[in-house]
Amino acid sequence: MKGTIFYWLKSYLGFSNKESRGFLFLLPFLTILLLIPTLFGYIRDQAAEDYQLQFQGKIDSLRRAGVELVSSPDPVFNPEDTIKNKLQAEDQQFQNLNKIPLSQADSATLQIVPGIGPAFASRIIKYREQLGGFHDEGQLLEVYGLKPETVEELLKYFEFDEMITQKLKINQSTETDLAKHPYISYSEAKVILAYKKQHGDYQSTEDLKAIKIFKPEWIDKIAPYLVF
């Protein structure tokens, strides 16, 4: 058999015995190189078929879950459809939840909001208690680390209600009592008490504005938490 091949290579291709041996040595490698494109094509087609089957399985699962899918000109994949489906699923989630007032939210319920875990939930509750309640949505941005987009998500799930549950009796409070409030430092508390000692009890925020060291914006900020 080998001799026949050598004879054929010598007669028809003009190969010498040495060249014939070299050709036979390379022949398996040449065959593999020729088959590689076909092999890769088969693998690619198989992978595409598997992906389409998996994608169709996901579509069927979403349909069974009651998610309405948006038709797409691309039968395999359309990123826009995925985003629309996600938004529809979120809207459905909102419909299944009662919006409760933020003043009544506890640490557990706050964690239903995307982006709020146990740490953020605990910070929000703690800051609300330290203030004595929120009276403005902007105060949520004062919670350490809470971003505007997270606050926006929070207000999708909870109804903001102005609810101050605890106020400072400015004429009866000690320096320590006043300084416990996040908006009042010890130095500010000292000035408040020193002015009261010299001029008597405060009657309104106008008395605080008579203390020239205090900025009007700061007085307006603490005013909702004071009782005269």
Side-chain angles (χ1 to χ4, degrees):
M1 179 66 179
K2 186 176 180 180
T4 303
I5 295 174
F6 275 24
Y7 175 78
W8 185 86
L9 291 172
K10 184 177 181 181
S11 299
Y12 292 95
L13 298 178
F15 285 4
S16 65
N17 289 338
K18 184 176 181 180
E19 289 172 336
S20 297
R21 285 194 296 271
F23 178 77
L24 290 176
F25 177 77
L26 292 174
L27 187 59
F29 298 100
L30 293 173
T31 303
I32 292 173
L33 287 175
L34 289 172
L35 291 175
I36 284 176
T38 303
L39 180 62
F40 273 116
Y42 172 78
I43 294 174
R44 181 193 59 201
D45 294 342
Q46 191 65 38
E49 184 178 348
D50 291 343
Y51 175 80
Q52 191 165 1
L53 289 173
Q54 291 176 5
F55 187 78
Q56 187 59 46
K58 292 179 180 179
I59 294 294
D60 293 340
S61 297
L62 288 172
R63 284 173 176 163
R64 286 194 295 270
V67 177
E68 183 181 354
L69 301 177
V70 180
S71 59
S72 167
D74 185 347
V76 178
F77 177 72
N78 188 333
E80 186 177 349
D81 285 353
T82 302
I83 295 171
K84 289 180 179 178
N85 293 338
K86 182 179 179 181
L87 292 175
Q88 288 176 349
E90 289 179 352
D91 289 341
Q92 183 64 40
Q93 185 180 12
F94 293 148
Q95 293 173 9
N96 294 334
L97 296 172
N98 286 322
K99 257 190 171 185
I100 65 172
L102 185 60
S103 62
Q104 298 177 19
D106 57 22
S107 180
T109 54
L110 284 175
Q111 293 180 53
I112 68 173
V113 180
I116 295 183
F120 271 138
S122 177
R123 287 180 199 172
I124 293 169
I125 298 299
K126 184 177 180 180
Y127 192 61
R128 185 182 67 189
E129 292 174 350
Q130 289 174 337
L131 284 173
F134 295 117
H135 70 86
D136 185 85
E137 293 179 6
Q139 291 178 292
L140 290 165
L141 294 172
E142 297 171 6
V143 178
Y144 178 74
L146 207 60
K147 297 180 180 179
E149 54 267 30
T150 307
V151 172
E152 186 177 348
E153 283 295 315
L154 175 65
L155 296 176
K156 290 180 182 178
Y157 288 82
F158 295 91
E159 193 74 42
F160 183 84
D161 57 327
E162 182 179 345
M163 180 68 72
I164 297 178
T165 57
Q166 186 175 349
K167 294 191 176 187
L168 290 167
K169 296 179 179 178
I170 191 170
N171 291 314
Q172 286 79 42
S173 297
T174 64
E175 179 182 313
T176 301
D177 293 334
L178 292 172
K180 285 180 180 179
H181 197 278
Y183 291 165
I184 304 174
S185 67
Y186 272 100
S187 60
E188 290 161 346
K190 284 182 179 179
V191 174
I192 290 172
L193 293 183
Y195 187 87
K196 173 178 171 289
K197 187 175 181 180
Q198 290 180 358
H199 299 85
D201 287 352
Y202 293 96
Q203 303 301 316
S204 68
T205 54
E206 293 302 315
D207 293 336
L208 282 171
K209 290 179 179 179
I211 306 174
K212 300 304 180 184
I213 197 173
F214 291 152
K215 293 182 178 180
E217 310 89 77
W218 177 77
I219 295 174
D220 291 339
K221 188 176 181 180
I222 66 169
Y225 297 99
L226 300 179
V227 174
F228 296 91

